[in-house]
Amino acid sequence: QGSSNAILNVTVTDANDSPPIFTQPFYSENIAEYASIGTVALQVSATEIDLNKNGEFEFSILSRNDSGLFNFSATSGEFTTTADLCRQRNVTFFFQLKAEDKADIPLSSYVN
């Protein structure tokens, strides 16, 4: 009996099985009341072990109480001042954030 050979190509794709995870369970920072506009007040970060678009993610703000005093970058996670804070002494600002990957069925995590 004869035999034959065949080449078989197998491509293994990444399953979106891990959400982005914030690198800290919560974030807290102090900022001087005289900080100039555009000062980075805080930066959040996250890690993601999936690959390709499953491993790409963006941040978003779900809730906030700062009345627009801070700008937030969805890609860098930076909060920058947008106004003079001199009348904001001893005020605490709260934000609830989400990190969500760019998969077809996205996964996410949350932090305050």
Side-chain angles (χ1 to χ4, degrees):
Q1 295 220 340
S3 65
S4 64
N5 293 324
I7 296 174
L8 176 63
N9 289 324
V10 176
T11 302
V12 178
T13 59
D14 179 51
N16 189 32
D17 54 356
S18 298
I21 302 294
F22 284 93
T23 57
Q24 295 179 208
F26 67 93
Y27 292 84
S28 178
E29 188 63 63
N30 294 316
I31 184 167
E33 65 176 314
Y34 52 82
S36 59
I37 294 173
T39 297
V40 176
L42 175 72
Q43 183 170 15
V44 298
S45 59
T47 59
E48 168 65 91
I49 61 173
D50 287 319
L51 303 173
N52 303 318
K53 74 176 182 178
N54 295 342
E56 298 173 12
F57 60 89
E58 286 191 339
F59 301 105
S60 61
I61 296 177
L62 301 178
S63 64
R64 63 193 298 169
N65 74 336
D66 69 315
S67 301
L69 292 173
F70 298 94
N71 186 42
F72 181 68
S73 169
T75 54
S76 73
E78 286 185 344
F79 285 89
T80 54
T81 58
T82 60
D84 183 3
L85 302 177
C86 74
R87 292 190 179 94
Q88 304 299 322
R89 283 184 223 143
N90 299 318
V91 175
T92 301
F93 300 107
F94 295 97
F95 300 88
Q96 183 180 31
L97 305 175
K98 176 171 76 169
E100 183 173 84
D101 63 33
K102 296 182 179 180
D104 293 331
I105 301 173
L107 298 176
S108 55
S109 65
Y110 304 88
V111 73
N112 292 316

